[in-house]
Amino acid sequence: MALKASQINDETKWQDLTEGLQIYEPATSKTFETGEWRTQTPVFDEEKCKQCLLCVPYCPDSCIPVVDGKRRAFDLMHCKGCGICVKACPFDAISMKPGK
Ligand code: SF4
Ligand code: SF4
């Protein structure tokens, strides 16, 4: 019986891995802070934001949380700094700054 992704660690024997290393469940990156890879950081200007939420579906890493219908601060633990959200925002409410 294949282990769940959350049960796999450095001690796991290859015989216990899924056949062909197929992945049967999502979300392993939730616990891995991929935001460490970032070389630029998006900055959100709340004054300029019109809450159109257009930036949300454009983020390839789902790093723009929406709570009660409003966008909130970036999830910088997972944001890779690609800058797509800057291009997506029609109100110039997002800019990039160098570094983390
Ligand atoms: S910079 Fe890229 S990864 Fe980060 S919030 Fe914007 S779109 Fe998402
Ligand atoms: S696209 Fe711009 S204005 Fe719209 S929610 Fe995102 S930051 Fe705010």
Side-chain angles (χ1 to χ4, degrees):
M1 179 86 174
L3 293 173
K4 290 185 173 184
S6 58
Q7 296 172 308
I8 296 173
N9 56 46
D10 293 346
E11 307 294 319
T12 306
K13 295 176 187 165
W14 68 266
Q15 295 93 335
D16 295 331
L17 296 175
T18 55
E19 191 175 331
L21 293 177
Q22 293 174 65
I23 298 171
Y24 295 124
E25 58 182 345
T28 52
S29 66
K30 270 188 182 173
T31 56
F32 188 70
E33 296 181 3
T34 49
E36 283 292 307
W37 306 347
R38 202 172 54 247
T39 58
Q40 292 192 77
T41 300
V43 179
F44 170 50
D45 184 338
E46 206 163 347
E47 298 277 311
K48 290 184 179 175
C49 178
K50 305 282 190 249
Q51 294 295 344
C52 68
L53 303 186
L54 194 58
C55 56
V56 176
Y58 273 96
C59 176
D61 291 302
S62 300
C63 294
I64 305 175
V66 177
V67 180
D68 295 332
K70 289 190 170 186
R71 70 144 292 171
R72 303 297 185 194
F74 292 106
D75 168 10
L76 294 178
M77 292 298 200
H78 297 96
C79 165
K80 314 286 196 310
C82 68
I84 292 173
C85 54
V86 176
K87 299 282 184 191
C89 178
F91 301 102
D92 292 328
I94 308 171
S95 57
M96 299 298 286
K97 70 167 188 182
K100 292 181 184 174

